[in-house]
């Protein structure tokens, strides 16, 4: 396999690639893709992973309080019954170390590590038109050729540290939650500043507050958050989950969000105020979590009036929970509908503001001017800080891909192609970039749904497509530009019919200065999406050009 590994592109003469596939990333996506290609299809594949271990999101996000928001019994793979049977989750929403252990177990169980090259970043990939394969370059100077290049680089894997003036002169320690030190951070006795109140900020704040001397939270956008109601699983819970495993799997597959909730076909506007309130109360007090959005009413994400009933309810709960009315008002979102940004769930987030050692600073009123050697200066004064925590999220969906110098047909770079925002066909392929597949790429449901379900669907579609190509003797697949244009228009039309565009969210790239505002995920849900992908495949990969001879 190393025969071509040190060659320059211009030297490539061997028409047979080193590998059938290169996979970028060893999180949920990359691990399953490797298993599928290698163990089911019998192909040669190698994963390159920038981290020192498997796990992706769960390798990098080690901040205190990091845990999943999808419940454990469906935030996992479903492709292997044996795997499901042998793994036991401790709780509804396990913490990061446990999810990482699960993914490590998957890697060991399926003997995946032998085909993963860790501590290796893919820095460039060039499509060799003469041979219909990709040449991939790593940060270690190695080069490999592969028929297929499969991005499993993650939607939330490119940490975003805002470009604050003065950060380089800060005398304390600073951390981004998405690349947290493995040895942990000791906050005892420290004056901590936290920037950001998205899903991560909401998880980490109660944990820091419990340790630190003081926690000052700098908030740009207040967020709606629903209590998680986390609990340890008892033996009885586990027995029940086991008995219902197939039923949960079926429900997850039949749900638009990849959740096993019973979907209720009723509008928030078709019930009396008392009935609506009691449904919200039940969800807030008992079930909690994502069910508030997905299993109360069917139009929260579609109708502003319906949404307002949910938003009003949550604002009421914030006022009930937070003792200081001024702080409660600052924490109450009014500038975007509930669910139009990634909906957080929490354990004691709003309660944290009742602590004496916690202060909230509204940086819309009082913008951050600079980081100083001793802390942080806003328009109204300086805050002395020993530690800064950036809970500022990610350059979502496109960040990790665009960090790689990807060159397709006629040398066009992906950055050029996506200068006006990402464009894909089905979120799976990009016109002008043959044989490149993107797992959970922009234009697919990805971050709007329970992701393992979306990931499994993509991995299986890609492997079926490769099988088809090999059976038909094709070695090149490329999305047609027309099909891509139609898909992008469709993604936009669907988003326009929802409330997603009413928020300045990372779904739109709004958190990254200079990033084109384009709504990136596909909002029609997994059932609609899966049926469209299946239809494309059944119709001989409609919208793709399959050409070339070979296997
Ligand atoms: P990732 O897990 O992001 O893995 C991508 C990997 O690619 C990374 O390890 C990265 O190092 C590697 N990589 C990137 N670029 C390169 C390169 N150039 N060269 C080599 N390696 C590279 N989703 C849910 O559905 N439910 C949840 O409850 C949920 N909770 C979350 C909580 C947090 C804190 C975060 C950050 C995300 C959460 N998500 C959740 C989304 C989560 O990202 C996905 O569920 C899932 O883990 C994505 O898996 P992945 O393999 O596609 O990507």
């Amino acid at each position: 396999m190393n025969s071509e590994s040190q060659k320059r592109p211009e030297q490539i003469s061997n028409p047979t690639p080193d590998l059938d596939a290169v996979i970028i990333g060893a999180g949920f996506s990359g691990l399953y893709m490797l298993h599928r290609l290698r163990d089911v299809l019998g192909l040669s594949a190698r994963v390159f992973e920038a981290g020192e271990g498997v796990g992706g999101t769960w390798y990098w996000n080690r901040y205190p309080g990091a845990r999943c928001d999808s419940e454990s019994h469906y935030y996992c793979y479903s492709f292997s019954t044996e795997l499901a049977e042998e793994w036991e989750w401790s709780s509804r929403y396990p913490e990061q170390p446990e999810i990482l252990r699960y993914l490590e177990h998957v890697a060991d169980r399926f003997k995946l590590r032998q085909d993963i090259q860790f501590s290796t970043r893919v820095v460039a990939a060039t499509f060799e038109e003469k041979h219909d394969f990709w040449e991939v370059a790593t940060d270690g100077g190695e080069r490999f050729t592969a028929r297929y290049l499969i991005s499993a680089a993650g939607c939330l894997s490119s940490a975003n540290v805002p470009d604050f003036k003065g950060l380089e002169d800060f005398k304390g320690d600073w951390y981004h939650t998405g690349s947290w030190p493995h040895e942990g951070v000791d906050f005892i006795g420290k004056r901590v500043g936290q920037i950001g109140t998205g899903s991560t900020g909401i998880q980490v704040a109660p944990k820091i507050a419990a340790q630190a001397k003081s926690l000052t939270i700098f908030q740009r956008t207040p967020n709606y958050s629903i209590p998680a109601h986390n609990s340890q699983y008892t033996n009885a819970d586990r027995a029940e989950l086991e008995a219902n495993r197939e039923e949960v799997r079926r429900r997850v597959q039949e749900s638009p969000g990849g959740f096993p909730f019973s979907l209720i076909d009723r509008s928030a506007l078709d019930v009396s105020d008392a009935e609506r309130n009691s449904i919200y109360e039940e969800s807030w007090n008992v079930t909690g979590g994502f069910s508030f959005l997905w299993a109360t009413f069917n139009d929260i994400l579609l109708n502003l009036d319906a949404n307002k009933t949910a938003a009003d309810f949550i604002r009421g709960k914030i006022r009930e929970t937070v003792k200081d009315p001024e702080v409660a008002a600052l924490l109450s979102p009014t500038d975007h509908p509930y669910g139009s940004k990634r909906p957080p769930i929490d354990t004691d987030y709003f309660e944290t503001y009742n602590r004496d050692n916690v202060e909230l600073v509204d940086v819309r009123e009082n913008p951050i001017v600079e980081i100083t050697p001793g802390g942080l200066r806003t328009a109204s004064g300086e805050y002395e800080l020993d530690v800064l925590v950036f809970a500022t999220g990610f350059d979502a969906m496109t960040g990790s891909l665009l960090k790689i110098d990807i060159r397709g047909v006629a040398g066009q770079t992906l950055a050029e192609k996506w200068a006006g925002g990402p464009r894909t066909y089905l979120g799976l392929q990009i016109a002008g970039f043959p044989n490149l597949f993107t797992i959970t790429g922009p234009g697919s449901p990805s971050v709007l749904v329970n992701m393992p379900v979306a990931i499994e669907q993509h991995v299986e579609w890609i492997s079926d497509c490769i099988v088809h190509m090999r059976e038909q003797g094709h070695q090149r697949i490329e999305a047609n530009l027309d099909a891509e244009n139609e898909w992008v228009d469709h993604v936009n039309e669907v988003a326009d019919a929802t409330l997603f565009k009413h928020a300045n969210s990372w779904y739109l790239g709004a958190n990254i200065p200079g990033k084109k505002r384009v709504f990136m995920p596909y909002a029609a849900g997994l059932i609609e999406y899966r049926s469209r992908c299946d239809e494309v495949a059944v119709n001989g990969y409609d919208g793709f050009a399959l050409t070339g001879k070979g296997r």
Side-chain angles (χ1 to χ4, degrees):
M1 193 191 72
N2 283 329
S3 57
E4 294 282 347
S5 67
Q6 298 302 326
K7 289 191 176 177
R8 313 291 312 167
E10 58 279 13
Q11 293 175 301
I12 295 172
S13 54
N14 187 351
T16 309
D18 303 331
L19 295 155
D20 292 312
V22 157
I23 300 163
I24 307 171
F28 264 102
S29 300
L31 293 178
Y32 184 34
M33 193 76 242
L34 173 60
H35 169 59
R36 192 86 192 179
L37 291 183
R38 193 193 65 181
D39 305 335
V40 181
L41 271 56
L43 302 186
S44 60
R46 172 160 282 232
V47 177
F48 294 101
E49 167 54 59
E52 288 170 9
V54 300
T57 289
W58 305 102
Y59 171 87
W60 296 105
N61 289 264
R62 295 169 187 246
Y63 59 85
R67 56 176 80 240
C68 53
D69 290 343
S70 306
E71 290 163 273
S72 51
H73 62 283
Y74 54 89
Y75 188 67
C76 53
Y77 294 114
S78 70
F79 69 85
S80 161
T81 307
E82 296 76 23
L83 170 63
E85 279 172 1
E86 72 203 12
W87 187 263
E88 279 195 348
W89 293 107
S90 68
S91 55
R92 269 186 96 181
Y93 305 102
E95 285 188 292
Q96 169 272 332
E98 186 173 340
I99 307 172
L100 181 58
R101 276 202 302 282
Y102 169 73
L103 290 168
E104 287 173 342
H105 169 72
V106 171
D108 293 336
R109 185 188 200 288
F110 295 102
K111 302 189 170 49
L112 299 176
R113 290 178 202 269
Q114 64 202 57
D115 291 301
I116 305 175
Q117 192 168 320
F118 293 108
S119 307
T120 306
R121 186 170 282 284
V122 170
V123 290
T126 306
F127 187 66
E128 293 298 324
E129 291 182 62
K130 192 168 153 215
H131 302 307
D132 290 335
F133 59 54
W134 284 89
E135 199 220 22
V136 175
T138 70
D139 57 356
E142 291 173 296
R143 288 168 185 272
F144 298 90
T145 55
R147 177 72 65 219
Y148 303 104
L149 175 60
I150 303 177
S151 168
C155 293
L156 301 172
S157 52
S158 183
N160 165 44
V161 179
D163 189 16
F164 286 118
K165 189 177 153 211
L167 180 58
E168 62 287 358
D169 298 325
F170 182 57
K171 292 270 191 301
D173 297 318
W174 68 266
Y175 309 94
H176 187 284
T177 48
S179 53
W180 201 257
H182 289 204
E183 63 279 12
V185 177
D186 183 4
F187 292 110
I188 291 174
K190 300 275 169 61
R191 297 162 304 175
V192 183
Q194 174 187 321
I195 301 178
T197 52
S199 297
T200 287
I202 282 173
Q203 287 187 336
V204 77
K207 297 286 182 181
I208 300 177
Q211 265 200 16
K213 182 174 175 201
S214 66
L215 172 63
T216 310
I217 300 178
F218 298 91
Q219 170 190 274
R220 181 170 62 184
T221 312
N223 224 321
Y224 303 93
S225 184
I226 307 296
H229 295 303
N230 192 19
S231 57
Q232 291 297 113
Y233 283 146
T234 60
N235 286 341
D237 292 333
R238 285 207 192 88
E240 196 185 326
L241 286 171
E242 209 173 304
N244 289 334
R245 186 176 303 120
E246 281 314 305
E247 172 65 6
V248 167
R249 192 172 188 278
R250 185 187 63 74
R251 282 175 174 224
V252 158
Q253 294 298 323
E254 290 174 3
S255 116
F259 300 105
F261 309 135
S262 301
L263 295 181
I264 295 151
D265 198 16
R266 71 181 162 211
S267 160
L269 305 176
D270 282 350
V271 293
S272 68
D273 290 354
E275 191 183 344
R276 190 188 312 110
N277 208 51
S278 102
I279 291 165
Y280 284 146
E281 283 288 351
E282 162 88 10
S283 186
W284 183 274
N285 292 318
V286 183
T287 41
F290 282 152
S291 71
F292 192 92
L293 180 64
W294 288 93
T296 51
F297 298 102
N298 62 9
D299 50 356
I300 291 181
L301 284 171
L302 300 174
N303 179 313
L304 265 182
D305 292 330
N307 191 285
K308 188 169 177 306
T309 65
D312 282 345
F313 179 88
I314 300 170
R315 284 189 286 261
K317 287 293 178 192
I318 297 172
R319 282 192 299 274
E320 264 174 40
T321 311
V322 179
K323 289 185 187 138
D324 181 333
E326 279 180 30
V327 176
L330 281 181
L331 287 169
S332 298
T334 50
D335 66 345
H336 65 278
Y338 166 57
S340 59
K341 285 174 170 257
R342 208 275 191 183
I345 72 172
D346 71 274
T347 302
D348 295 337
Y349 174 63
F350 293 116
E351 290 80 351
T352 296
Y353 292 91
N354 294 333
R355 298 178 63 107
D356 291 338
N357 67 338
V358 174
E359 181 182 2
L360 178 65
V361 178
D362 173 11
V363 302
R364 280 208 180 137
E365 265 306 295
N366 187 13
I368 296 174
V369 177
E370 61 177 346
I371 312 285
T372 61
L376 183 153
R377 191 192 321 280
T378 67
S380 71
E382 184 165 353
Y383 294 82
E384 288 182 10
L385 301 169
D386 306 308
V387 180
L388 261 174
V389 172
F390 291 94
T392 42
F394 302 89
D395 183 353
M397 301 201 75
T398 57
S400 286
L401 262 180
L402 286 173
K403 277 186 183 160
I404 307 170
D405 181 9
I406 299 180
R407 289 167 191 262
V409 171
Q412 185 188 29
T413 65
L414 187 61
E416 286 161 359
K417 164 90 188 188
W418 282 2
R423 303 185 71 77
T424 69
Y425 179 38
L426 298 170
L428 278 160
Q429 265 226 345
I430 305 156
F433 296 79
N435 294 7
L436 166 65
F437 293 100
T438 49
I439 302 176
T440 66
S444 73
S446 60
V447 290
L448 297 183
V449 300
N450 179 38
M451 287 198 70
V453 186
I455 288 168
E456 288 192 331
Q457 186 256 338
H458 262 192
V459 167
E460 287 159 18
W461 192 95
I462 293 167
S463 13
D464 290 350
C465 175
I466 291 175
V467 168
H468 174 84
M469 288 177 69
R470 290 169 69 82
E471 282 171 359
Q472 301 296 314
H474 296 304
Q475 64 180 24
R476 174 176 163 142
I477 179 167
E478 182 180 358
N480 296 331
L481 194 55
D482 286 348
E484 181 178 273
N485 288 339
E486 275 172 34
W487 184 254
V488 172
D489 289 347
H490 174 61
V491 169
N492 277 300
E493 264 164 34
V494 170
D496 287 342
T498 69
L499 302 180
F500 285 117
K501 287 192 178 170
H502 291 243
N504 280 328
S505 66
W506 55 256
Y507 296 148
L508 276 159
N511 60 328
I512 305 294
K515 190 165 173 174
K516 272 273 178 241
R517 299 272 173 114
V518 173
F519 188 76
M520 295 183 282
Y522 179 55
L526 276 167
I527 302 174
E528 174 67 20
Y529 178 73
R530 191 183 294 113
S531 95
R532 283 175 182 262
C533 290
D534 290 349
E535 200 181 312
V536 163
V538 166
N539 292 332
Y541 292 87
D542 200 15
F544 292 96
L546 282 83
T547 54
K549 288 204 192 98
R551 285 169 61 83

